[in-house]
Every structure is written in C-alpha cells, then in structure tokens.
Amino acid sequence: MATFKCRVVSAREELYAGDINMLVAAGHDGELGILAGHTPLITLLKPGTLHLKNSEGVDEVIYVSGGVLEVQPHLVTVLADSAERAHDLDEAKIAEARRNAEQLLANQSNTVQTNAALAALAESVAQLQTIQKYKNRA
C-alpha cells in the first residue's frame, strides 16, 4: 500500500511524524479518511479520534480537541488545538469531567454556562470514544 508523510502537532509537542498508509479523522462535517493520492484539502477538525496506520501497519490512536487538517500531495499535517495519545488519557478523570459537565448542563442558568457545559460534555465524550477505539483496535 502506498504511503505518505504525516505530521501531528499541538501547541505543546509533535505527537507523530512519519510515513503512514491511512489517516481517519473527525472532520467538522463528519469523519473522513485519507489515503495516498487524496485530493488536497483543508478542513476543520472537531474533538475526536485521529487514527493513523503507519507504514509497518501499526495503529496509532490520538485524541485531538479540534484543529485543522491539511492534505497536500505527499504530506498530511494536523495542527491540533491540543492532542494526546490515547494510551495517555485518564479514563476515570474523563468520566468525572463528563459527570461534572452533565451536572452543569442540568443546572445551567444562562447561555454562556450552557455553551461551556455543552463544549465540556462534547470533549469528554470524544475522549471516552477515543479510549474505546484504542482498546478495541485490532
């Protein structure tokens, strides 16, 4: 299978740099898959899983909180707002954050609180889904 270069970076660090066969990301308008020779594009990412298959066939699973995905003929770059490898995510801490967000949502008193609670809830759900994908990968 053909490979292409990929870089995944956040404001804190570079999480991945190397050749991959495939990338699947949570785009703003839905999940998208990238293979070698994909049409160039730039799209926003929403909180979710970034799934890479490297040139040796090994899966890499990374959580991104959002950002930008750029596809060029021989390079895909992910500029994440923040990102973390799935195996570094703390499931208990995330589940607690989800409960707190749900409680805030139930007790909100204004639009700003509602929006903050919805954003926190979306992020915690996406992180938990990333953990599940990491655990269930083949």
Side-chain angles (χ1 to χ4, degrees):
M1 181 178 254
T3 63
F4 54 97
K5 301 273 185 219
C6 179
R7 288 189 66 219
V8 179
V9 295
S10 72
R12 289 185 327 156
E13 65 183 319
E14 182 174 70
L15 285 103
Y16 186 88
D19 291 333
I20 63 172
N21 294 325
M22 176 194 71
L23 177 138
V24 178
H28 185 266
D29 294 324
E31 195 168 74
L32 59 127
I34 309 295
L35 297 172
H38 195 284
T39 303
L41 71 90
I42 296 177
T43 189
L44 294 176
L45 296 174
K46 63 181 182 179
T49 304
L50 192 65
H51 179 231
L52 312 167
K53 186 172 291 282
N54 71 21
S55 58
E56 288 82 41
V58 177
D59 290 330
E60 299 277 341
V61 182
I62 299 171
Y63 168 76
V64 296
S65 64
V68 176
L69 170 73
E70 178 187 32
V71 178
Q72 291 297 320
H74 302 288
L75 173 67
V76 171
T77 304
V78 176
L79 302 172
D81 297 334
S82 67
E84 197 166 348
R85 288 180 178 83
H87 61 78
D88 292 335
L89 293 171
D90 182 342
E91 190 170 8
K93 187 176 175 181
I94 295 165
E96 178 65 25
R98 180 181 179 172
R99 284 189 291 277
N100 289 341
E102 288 170 339
Q103 187 175 19
L104 281 173
L105 194 55
N107 298 324
Q108 55 40 19
S109 62
N110 63 45
T111 303
V112 173
Q113 286 179 335
T114 300
N115 290 339
L118 287 171
L121 183 59
E123 186 165 339
S124 62
V125 167
Q127 288 174 328
L128 291 170
Q129 288 172 342
T130 299
I131 290 170
Q132 288 305 311
K133 287 180 182 181
Y134 174 72
K135 289 180 178 179
N136 295 329
R137 74 187 197 280

